[in-house]
Amino acid sequence: MPEVPQLAQLPQIIVGLGNPGSKYENTRHNVGFLALDRLADRWQIRLSETKKFQGFFGEGMSPAGKIRLLKPTTYMNLSGQSIRAVVDWYKLPPESVMVIYDDMDLPVGRLRIRLSGSAGGQNGMKSAISHLGTQQFPRLRIGIGSAKSSEKDAVSHVLGTFAPNEKSAIDEVLDLTVSAIELSLKQGVEKAMSLYNNQIVEPKS
């Protein structure tokens, strides 16, 4: 039987994808980590390295109630291992996981929220889908702009840093991300989709 998404499920854990270590700290590929750090700061939730979860993890209160935050330290391609460890420990349904990650198909200054879907070529999401055994969980993609045509260019693009004129746009998008997540927790992911999917922050020229 085909899977039916449980649209009423509110997120219970927010996961930001990225790579650990100072080498990757401010790269485009780590924008999920940046978003999670901003959530942790806004909600005053302390993230600490938790070996059983293979990541930095924290529990606390969002404006809508109890929430868990996770930054996997498995490196991007194995993110699902960390997510699955938390889901199993707390006996959470997969659809209660919300994942934040970078997307080359979106320009800088955009975010896109969806209730479910494929990985779209993003290796961290491929791992998450594989380990959760479903595509039916919400995600928030942050645009990092497209690279040139070759795969080598794509790798150097995602592992590079944002251009000076993009940084203020990303900063605004991270604030929008916090607002969108808070609305998702209070009124549901679909409400956040309707309000935030069409917002555009223009990078300074």
Side-chain angles (χ1 to χ4, degrees), residues 104-125:
M104 286 202 303
D105 292 331
L106 284 175
V108 171
R110 297 293 300 270
L111 60 80
R112 186 69 48 81
I113 309 164
R114 291 185 66 190
L115 283 163
S116 63
S118 70
Q122 215 277 2
N123 288 330
M125 280 299 284

Side-chain angles (χ1 to χ4, degrees), residues 9 13 83 87 92-98 132-134 136-138:
Q9 175 71 61
I13 176 169
I83 297 169
V87 165
L92 299 174
E95 62 270 16
S96 72
V97 178
M98 188 167 199
L132 291 174
T134 180
Q136 307 287 359
F137 56 90

Side-chain angles (χ1 to χ4, degrees), residues 1 9 28 33 81 84 92 108 111 119 128 137 152 156 164:
M1 289 179 64
Q9 175 71 61
R28 294 171 187 266
F33 274 12
Q81 292 179 8
R84 185 60 192 259
L92 299 174
V108 171
L111 60 80
F137 56 90
K152 185 178 178 183
S156 62

